[in-house]
Amino acid sequence: YFTYSTGVNYYQQQIDTTPAFNSPLCETKIEKGSPTDSYNYHTFYDLRFGTRYFRRVRECLPKDTSDWSPIRSFTTIATGAYSTSYSIAKGATDQSINPLLYYYYRSYIDSVEIQLDTTLNFNSPLLEIHRVKEASSQSNAYIEPYKSLLYGTTYYWRIRDIHAKDISGWTTPRYFTTAYMKPALSLVSPTDLSVIITEQTPIDFTWHTYHPTDATILDYTMQLSTTISFEEIFYQAHINDTVTSFLLPMNTTLYWRVCGNTTKGRTAWSTPWLVTTKDSSALCTLETPTFTKPENSPLANAYTRQYFNWTAVADAANYILQIDTTTAFNSPELIQTVYTTNGSNNVIYDLRYGTHYYYRMRAMAANQINRSAWTEAREFITVSRVTLSSPNDPEVEYVYYPSLTLYWKNSIGSTSYKIEIDTVPTFDSPAILRYNQSSSYTNQESSLSQSVSNLMLGKMNYWRVRAYNDKDSSDWSIPMCFKTYNNAKGTAPADSLTNAYTQQTLRWECINGLPNVIIELDTTASFNSTLKQTINEWAYYSDDASTTVSQLLFGTTYYWRVRYYHSRDTTQWSKTRHF
């Protein structure tokens, strides 16, 4: 949009992905202005997704054109969009097997593509791809799966927009879990609260056959656990029959449950039953493992990606590692991983930032019965924020150019960062700049950087960084600050030069990040005569930028000055020079 000026015939508007308006994507439109409309506009179609565009406009008369307007910019949408009004909530459970997946259909988009799958990689045989062509107006719309989904199954879905010249990025996948098939199975034996005296004799577990009305039973999954919540699985197996034999450890109490796996998904779990074994002899145990990594430390210096090593235990087939935020190891944050060897550098990813963790381990024999005692709980605390490096000059001993690079220390385990830079330490002014950066250096303690440009001039700039992994985000870093450049400088011809020629080359000092220049030349030091000339120039960063003026009046004193600007700010005028 632009405003109409009386007497102007046409308006020329340019749009491009560079402020120089010289890329292959540069588009120019010329249209007649309308004096009856408050605002006039040009429409540009099929812009690239997720791209920053610059635009400018000027007025056209039959014999002249105005200067270009100041450059403005905007950034196009990068991905498709979920409907904010109707979509299934991320992580929702107990969902219909015939769900409606709502998305937002934007104006001027040719079509929308939706993918639905049971894997986050969207590459399983169950992948569904929907390509939808809708009306040109913005609206909430939905698709239905081609066929009913599986019961008790987690599904992922994502969206992208398509037009004639580009395809957007995918939205961050959302997921939901369908409801379990009902009714649940019924157990037979051993009955709930059974106490069994055994001499290492296998026990038969039986349950009723499941007869789904609209599916075929494939097999059953049986689980044994020491807790009724089944947070720690003692034993799990897929069984083709309704009976199985298992050698339970002596002098122990376990819960057991069963679910059915059908051609249309999984049934609900049966109600857990409790069984206790008794024996006069003690259960033999293995030697307890010993950790060699990570360091047992109460200091907040651990990263969110941690390596675990331990000594091997004789007769151990598995090692169970538990990590939690409580020494009872029973919180919702509990992480439990089973390893088949002691190995080296076993990795746990995506721990939470600024969190006090405890960890322990025990060894398990091949029979999944005999085991070691848990190790004593050890601890570490993850870092809460990123450490910044440079620039940092709160005493203003050095003035920085408006295009520079920010550096900070990589927080191992972080996959992305957010960077903010602003002219106030509260980071809430209209001048704030925000950047997103993904990182592939998740396992290296290295330096990371972000190039920034178009900073506000002559201001103290504050910057901070925040780290992210797939499950959490850190606190903002402690901000650093520096002041930006605000001085323009003319360099030639020499100030107060006499006997100058009527053609002169005006030169100025070129500054990194400030390629746009305005020069004013006049016969008065107040720059308000009818002979005043205003010249717009653009120059790459170099030591010698210039423009030539000619047909100057003889015997006349000329005054000139220069200032630099970018799309967001302008320096003060340079010292006035004359010849």
Side-chain angles (χ1 to χ4, degrees):
Y1 284 86
F2 53 89
T3 56
Y4 174 81
S5 296
T6 303
V8 175
N9 297 80
Y10 295 92
Y11 287 87
Q12 182 182 28
Q13 186 163 192
Q14 285 188 331
I15 186 171
D16 200 2
T17 56
T18 72
F21 297 88
N22 59 358
S23 84
L25 297 177
C26 182
E27 292 187 48
T28 301
K29 289 195 175 185
I30 300 176
E31 290 192 24
K32 190 174 183 179
S34 173
T36 60
D37 296 329
S38 299
Y39 292 92
N40 288 254
Y41 64 92
H42 296 131
T43 302
F44 295 83
Y45 297 95
D46 294 341
L47 301 182
R48 292 183 180 272
F49 292 100
T51 302
R52 185 180 181 186
Y53 280 87
F54 301 85
R55 70 182 186 93
R56 60 184 181 181
V57 65
R58 64 181 177 183
E59 299 170 342
C60 301
L61 297 174
K63 295 183 178 181
D64 198 9
T65 56
S66 72
D67 292 337
W68 286 108
S69 66
I71 297 171
R72 292 189 176 184
S73 67
F74 62 92
T75 301
T76 56
I77 55 174
T79 68
Y82 298 101
S83 169
T84 58
S85 302
Y86 307 101
S87 281
I88 297 173
K90 181 179 179 180
T93 58
D94 200 31
Q95 296 300 300
S96 168
I97 60 172
N98 297 295
L100 303 181
L101 303 180
Y102 278 86
Y103 60 94
Y104 191 68
Y105 196 97
R106 296 187 174 103
S107 297
Y108 306 114
I109 296 299
D110 294 338
S111 61
V112 174
E113 183 175 332
I114 301 100
Q115 289 188 345
L116 174 69
D117 202 0
T118 55
T119 71
L120 194 55
N121 294 326
F122 296 90
N123 59 357
S124 87
L126 297 177
L127 173 65
E128 290 189 17
I129 300 175
H130 298 253
R131 182 73 67 87
V132 184
K133 171 71 176 177
E134 295 284 355
S136 60
S137 61
Q138 296 181 346
S139 62
N140 291 297
Y142 65 87
I143 58 108
E144 298 182 67
Y146 294 129
K147 59 182 180 180
S148 297
L149 304 183
L150 298 176
Y151 288 100
T153 303
T154 297
Y155 282 85
Y156 303 86
W157 65 296
R158 59 185 182 179
I159 305 166
R160 65 180 178 183
D161 291 336
I162 300 170
H163 61 56
K165 294 184 179 179
D166 200 12
I167 299 175
S168 77
W170 289 107
T171 55
T172 300
R174 290 189 176 184
Y175 65 95
F176 61 91
T177 301
T178 53
Y180 295 111
M181 183 180 290
K182 296 179 181 179
L185 275 75
S186 298
L187 305 182
V188 176
S189 67
T191 58
D192 193 22
L193 304 179
S194 294
V195 177
I196 301 173
I197 306 300
T198 178
E199 295 289 341
Q200 293 289 61
T201 303
I203 298 173
D204 288 337
F205 290 83
T206 61
W207 52 92
H208 290 291
T209 302
Y210 192 75
H211 298 287
T213 57
D214 57 348
T216 302
I217 192 74
L218 299 176
D219 60 16
Y220 300 89
T221 299
M222 175 189 171
Q223 288 183 341
L224 290 168
S225 177
T226 56
T227 64
I228 194 170
S229 62
F230 287 81
E231 293 174 346
E232 179 184 345
I233 303 302
F234 181 79
Y235 173 80
Q236 176 173 301
H238 290 283
I239 302 163
N240 293 323
D241 202 354
T242 57
V243 60
T244 186
S245 296
F246 186 74
L247 184 63
L248 291 178
M250 294 175 285
N251 301 312
T252 190
T253 298
L254 294 170
Y255 296 89
W256 71 287
R257 64 180 183 179
V258 178
C259 74
N261 302 303
T262 78
T263 53
K264 291 192 175 181
R266 199 174 79 180
T267 72
W269 287 103
S270 64
T271 300
W273 281 3
L274 182 67
V275 58
T276 302
T277 60
K278 298 287 185 178
D279 189 81
S280 58
S281 62
L283 179 67
C284 297
T285 60
L286 305 180
E287 180 183 352
T288 304
T290 300
F291 282 106
T292 58
K293 187 188 286 188
E295 179 183 0
N296 184 23
S297 172
L299 301 178
N301 59 1
Y303 291 115
T304 59
R305 172 177 176 155
Q306 284 295 313
Y307 296 89
F308 292 83
N309 293 350
W310 57 89
T311 58
V313 173
D315 298 325
N318 298 296
Y319 299 87
I320 300 174
L321 171 66
Q322 286 188 339
I323 306 170
D324 204 352
T325 54
T326 71
T327 55
F329 295 90
N330 60 357
S331 85
E333 298 290 333
L334 176 67
I335 300 170
Q336 178 167 298
T337 307
V338 178
Y339 298 94
T340 56
T341 63
N342 65 311
S344 62
N345 291 334
N346 299 288
V347 185
I348 297 296
Y349 301 90
D350 298 328
L351 297 173
R352 297 191 179 277
Y353 296 90
T355 302
H356 198 150
Y357 282 100
Y358 302 90
Y359 62 101
R360 66 181 182 178
M361 174 174 282
R362 69 179 175 192
M364 184 77 70
N367 62 7
Q368 297 296 298
I369 300 174
N370 296 327
R371 63 188 69 188
S372 75
W374 287 106
T375 62
E376 290 187 1
R378 293 161 64 93
E379 65 182 326
F380 61 85
I381 303 174
T382 54
V383 295
S384 61
R385 56 170 56 93
V386 175
T387 300
L388 305 186
S389 301
S390 67
N392 186 35
D393 192 1
E395 303 301 326
V396 196
E397 296 180 358
Y398 181 79
V399 178
Y400 292 78
Y401 293 142
S403 292
L404 49 78
T405 302
L406 310 175
Y407 294 91
W408 66 90
K409 184 179 179 182
N410 181 40
S411 182
I412 295 176
S414 301
T415 56
S416 63
Y417 295 87
K418 287 186 182 294
I419 304 97
E420 290 187 345
I421 184 166
D422 202 354
T423 54
V424 295
T426 51
F427 296 90
D428 57 2
S429 86
I432 192 169
L433 292 173
R434 294 183 174 92
Y435 298 86
N436 294 312
Q437 184 183 120
S438 60
S439 175
S440 59
Y441 298 98
T442 57
N443 61 346
Q444 299 178 21
E445 197 171 49
S446 57
S447 179
L448 298 180
S449 63
Q450 174 67 52
S451 296
V452 297
S453 59
N454 293 344
L455 300 180
M456 303 305 289
L457 303 170
K459 301 288 180 62
M460 184 66 77
N461 285 263
Y462 302 85
W463 68 285
R464 62 183 182 179
V465 178
R466 190 175 199 174
Y468 291 79
N469 60 31
D470 288 345
K471 293 184 179 178
D472 197 21
S473 60
S474 74
D475 296 335
W476 284 106
S477 65
I478 297 173
M480 286 185 171
C481 61
F482 57 90
K483 190 172 183 180
T484 47
Y485 188 90
N486 193 31
N487 296 316
K489 182 180 180 182
T491 58
D495 197 19
S496 304
L497 175 68
T498 59
N499 296 321
Y501 294 115
T502 58
Q503 176 172 301
Q504 287 292 319
T505 299
L506 307 180
R507 302 181 186 277
W508 60 90
E509 181 181 60
C510 198
I511 301 302
N512 184 25
L514 290 170
N516 300 290
V517 179
I518 299 174
I519 304 103
E520 287 190 346
L521 176 70
D522 202 355
T523 56
T524 68
S526 56
F527 296 92
N528 60 357
S529 83
T530 58
L531 297 176
K532 174 183 171 183
Q533 297 183 41
T534 301
I535 305 165
N536 289 278
E537 290 287 351
W538 192 92
Y540 288 104
Y541 178 48
S542 65
D543 293 329
D544 184 18
S546 64
T547 189
T548 299
V549 293
S550 60
Q551 297 183 3
L552 303 177
L553 300 178
F554 293 100
T556 303
T557 297
Y558 279 89
Y559 300 86
W560 71 285
R561 61 184 180 180
V562 62
R563 74 194 308 180
Y564 314 140
Y565 69 94
H566 55 58
S567 61
R568 301 202 315 145
D569 204 4
T570 304
T571 68
Q572 60 191 8
W573 284 109
S574 67
K575 175 184 176 183
T576 300
R577 300 168 68 93
H578 69 277
F579 59 86

